[in-house]
């Protein structure tokens, strides 16, 4: 089966065509600036060159049409016609309490996703536009929704309730949901496979450290806690998101800086994290490491604050699970940034784990960093959310 995996943002659309038999990416690409001047599609066929074409895209339906044109193109295409796409898998950010697993999309499912729009006003409407656009272009091809929140629906009440008046949970479903669920699920499963054990027998902490970052406690195969909350703003210090702060800061800054609460939250989402904390050096860890190596004090403080927050969460989740067998690093920073893994690793030694200097030099590869004799296995497991979505799509369509 060939599965087209779609990840729609408000003005972008990422795609991968994946063969479920070989799990190979046949082609991938990105439509950018949809509905804005200067829209462009970047397309890379398997084994071929990446190419960017500037072409007007009035809306996401135009974008999907272009994706199909590229996939079936004589020169850069990888299939002959639409008939070779067997299913579409959509990444959906928020499934609220309605979706604890992936589902085949029908009208009722679309309505239920729409009902979660309030919880993810930036993401879910865009995801729905993606579904409708694919429906318009490929009405007969079955589609599956894979939710970022679904894997964390196993969290117990004590982990997902906030210390707020209970009526807000009842009225508005204000609670912890968690995100990156597809990645936490994929990485914890793969981590268990790598050490030849069953995930259902293990206590695993997954550190998804990318531009967005979250940690989860996966206890005997189930997510029992995770650092992101009602929205992806809570938890770790991220690329541009602040993570945990005292909520009183919002009101305080609104008054001092003459901003609305929405404006302060926008600063918390877009101008904070390592970008803000470093005084604007960068949201990219490569730049921060370079700056710190050159002696920039703000960059050093930022990296230290980042590592400390990650370590604190790992500590909390070891306590939540009353133990830990595996700590897995993944995503851009977790897979590639050896300095950050060392900085976090220094906090973990008391747990009975270590980071081998030579193995830690590897980038973006599956590797066990700890020693065979260590009590806790520390490893790197590259995530692959698109493949996870394709697998889920096949599981539900077959
Ligand atoms: P992601 O959101 O998972 O794509 O992660 C993006 C982040 O990963 C970037 O902002 C970088 O800070 C980091 N990253 C990616 N590649 C490297 C690398 N080779 N070395 C250090 N950090 C990296």
């Amino acid at each position: 089966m060939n599965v087209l995996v779609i990840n729609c943002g408000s003005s972008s659309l990422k795609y991968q065509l994946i063969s479920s038999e070989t799990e190979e990416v046949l082609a991938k690409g990105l439509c950018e600036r949809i509905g804005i001047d200067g829209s462009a599609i970047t397309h890379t066929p398997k084994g071929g060159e990446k190419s960017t074409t500037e072409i007007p895209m009035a809306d996401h339906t135009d974008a999907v049409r272009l994706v199909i044109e590229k996939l079936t193109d004589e020169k850069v295409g990888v299939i002959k016609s639409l008939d070779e796409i067997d299913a579409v898998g959509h990444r959906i950010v928020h499934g609220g309490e309605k979706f604890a697993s992936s589902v085949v999309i029908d009208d009722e499912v679309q309505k239920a996703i729409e009902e979660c729009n309030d919880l993810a006003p930036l993401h879910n409407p865009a995801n729905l536009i993606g579904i409708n656009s694919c429906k318009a272009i490929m009405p007969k091809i079955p589609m599956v929704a894979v939710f970022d929140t679904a894997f964390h629906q196993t969290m117990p009440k004590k982990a997902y309730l906030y210390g707020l008046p209970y009526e807000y949970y009842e009225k508005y479903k204000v609670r912890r949901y968690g995100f990156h669920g597809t990645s936490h699920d994929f990485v914890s499963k793969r981590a268990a496979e790598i050490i030849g054990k069953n995930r259902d027998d293990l206590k695993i902490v997954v550190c998804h450290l990318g531009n967005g970052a979250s940690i989860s406690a996966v206890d005997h195969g189930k997510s029992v806690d995770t650092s992101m909350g009602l929205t992806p703003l809570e938890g770790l210090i991220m690329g541009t998101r602040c993570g945990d702060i005292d909520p009183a800061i919002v009101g305080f800054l609104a008054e001092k800086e003459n901003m609305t609460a929405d404006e302060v939250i926008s600063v918390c989402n877009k101008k904070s994290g390592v970008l803000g904390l470093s005084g604007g050096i960068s949201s990219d860890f490569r730049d921060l490491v370079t700056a710190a190596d050159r002696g920039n004090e703000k960059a050093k403080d930022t990296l230290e604050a980042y590592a400390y927050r990650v370590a604190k969460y790992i500590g909390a989740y070891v306590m939540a699970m009353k133990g830990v067998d595996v700590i897995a690093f993944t995503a851009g920073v977790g897979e590639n940034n050896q300095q950050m893994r060392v900085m976090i690793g220094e906090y973990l030694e008391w747990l009975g784990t270590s980071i081998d200097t030579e193995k830690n030099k590897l980038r973006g590869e599956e590797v066990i960093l700890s020693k065979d004799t260590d009590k806790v296995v520390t490893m790197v497991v590259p995530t692959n959310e698109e493949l996870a979505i394709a697998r889920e799509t096949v599981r539900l369509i077959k």
Side-chain angles (χ1 to χ4, degrees):
M1 265 172 94
N2 290 334
V3 180
L4 180 62
V5 176
I6 298 278
N7 183 357
C8 254
S10 52
S11 64
S12 69
L13 184 154
K14 281 191 216 154
Y15 63 94
Q16 284 197 4
L17 185 68
I18 297 177
S19 154
S20 68
E21 286 81 19
T22 58
E23 297 203 326
E24 271 180 319
V25 178
L26 303 176
K28 64 178 175 182
L30 167 69
C31 300
E32 283 174 293
R33 300 181 64 84
I34 300 168
I36 310 172
D37 277 354
S39 42
I41 178 166
T42 302
H43 177 81
T44 316
K46 186 187 139 205
E49 298 258 308
K50 187 189 213 174
S51 64
T52 301
T53 320
E54 271 205 35
I55 183 162
M57 286 176 243
D59 54 26
H60 286 72
T61 309
D62 264 1
V64 173
R65 195 176 293 119
L66 267 173
V67 169
I68 302 300
E69 271 177 36
K70 287 283 175 195
L71 290 172
T72 54
D73 184 86
E74 268 195 11
K75 281 193 189 133
V76 297
V78 290
I79 52 173
K80 289 203 178 69
S81 75
L82 255 187
D83 295 343
E84 290 177 53
I85 299 176
D86 300 289
V88 180
H90 288 271
R91 178 189 185 190
I92 309 293
V93 167
H94 220 306
E97 287 187 334
K98 292 178 203 294
F99 297 104
S101 59
S102 314
V103 282
V104 176
I105 298 172
D106 59 18
D107 289 348
E108 222 169 278
V109 165
Q110 267 188 262
K111 205 164 148 260
I113 295 173
E114 205 177 323
E115 281 163 14
C116 299
N117 277 2
D118 265 4
L119 295 170
L122 296 180
H123 295 101
N124 270 32
N127 299 156
L128 280 164
I129 289 171
I131 293 176
N132 282 323
S133 299
C134 287
K135 232 176 163 179
I137 308 276
M138 304 174 266
K140 295 212 175 81
I141 299 178
M143 300 200 283
V144 167
V146 180
F147 300 90
D148 256 29
T149 47
F151 181 61
H152 301 302
Q153 277 297 302
T154 47
M155 274 189 288
K157 246 184 171 177
K158 63 184 176 187
Y160 73 67
L161 285 180
Y162 288 122
L164 287 167
Y166 195 72
E167 61 178 292
Y168 298 142
Y169 170 58
E170 290 178 311
K171 278 203 277 191
Y172 311 119
K173 296 285 173 219
V174 171
R175 50 159 284 180
R176 175 182 310 288
Y177 290 95
F179 298 86
H180 294 139
T182 314
S183 176
H184 288 287
D185 185 19
F186 179 91
V187 170
S188 55
K189 244 184 227 150
R190 186 68 200 130
E193 277 169 17
I194 292 168
I195 57 168
K197 297 216 167 126
N198 190 329
R199 184 173 70 163
D200 294 347
D201 298 326
L202 294 170
K203 297 174 182 187
I204 305 173
V205 174
V206 178
C207 307
H208 178 111
L209 311 178
N211 195 27
S214 67
I215 301 206
S216 68
V218 183
D219 194 356
H220 294 81
K222 290 198 168 77
S223 171
V224 294
D225 208 345
T226 190
S227 56
M228 284 177 167
L230 174 76
T231 76
L233 188 51
E234 193 181 344
L236 302 175
I237 297 172
M238 309 181 209
T240 63
R241 293 188 200 126
C242 60
D244 298 339
I245 56 166
D246 179 343
I249 292 171
V250 178
F252 183 87
L253 284 181
E255 200 182 314
K256 293 279 180 204
E257 294 276 317
N258 198 19
M259 290 193 281
T260 63
D262 270 358
E263 285 166 345
V264 179
I265 295 294
S266 175
V267 170
C268 292
N269 265 308
K270 295 181 182 154
K271 294 187 179 165
S272 302
V274 293
L275 172 70
L277 195 49
S278 66
I281 294 177
S282 178
S283 64
D284 193 306
F285 279 73
R286 285 164 282 204
D287 302 330
L288 289 167
V289 168
T290 307
D293 286 346
R294 289 192 185 131
N296 185 301
E297 289 302 321
K298 278 203 181 111
K300 281 190 210 168
D301 289 346
T302 299
L303 293 173
E304 271 171 26
Y306 183 93
Y308 179 69
R309 181 79 59 94
V310 173
K312 272 210 301 192
Y313 264 99
I314 295 173
Y317 291 164
V318 171
M319 196 61 90
M321 294 191 287
K322 300 180 183 152
V324 64
D325 301 300
V326 178
I327 297 166
F329 291 108
T330 194
V333 180
E335 290 168 27
N336 298 299
N337 194 317
Q338 49 176 299
Q339 293 90 340
M340 186 45 67
R341 293 194 298 246
V342 169
M343 288 174 79
I344 297 165
E346 279 169 13
Y347 290 98
L348 305 179
E349 279 166 20
W350 68 274
L351 273 175
T353 191
S354 56
I355 292 190
D356 180 275
T357 313
E358 280 308 306
K359 288 189 203 155
N360 194 40
K361 285 183 184 155
L362 291 175
R363 274 188 181 164
E365 280 181 46
E366 286 181 351
V367 57
I368 295 178
L369 301 170
S370 50
K371 291 195 275 293
D372 291 349
T373 49
D374 285 349
K375 278 203 297 201
V376 175
V377 179
T378 297
M379 58 166 78
V380 175
V381 181
T383 192
N384 192 338
E385 286 164 291
E386 290 79 12
L387 177 57
I389 292 171
R391 284 180 182 167
E392 277 292 272
T393 305
V394 171
R395 182 177 70 80
L396 286 166
I397 296 297
K398 266 194 170 164

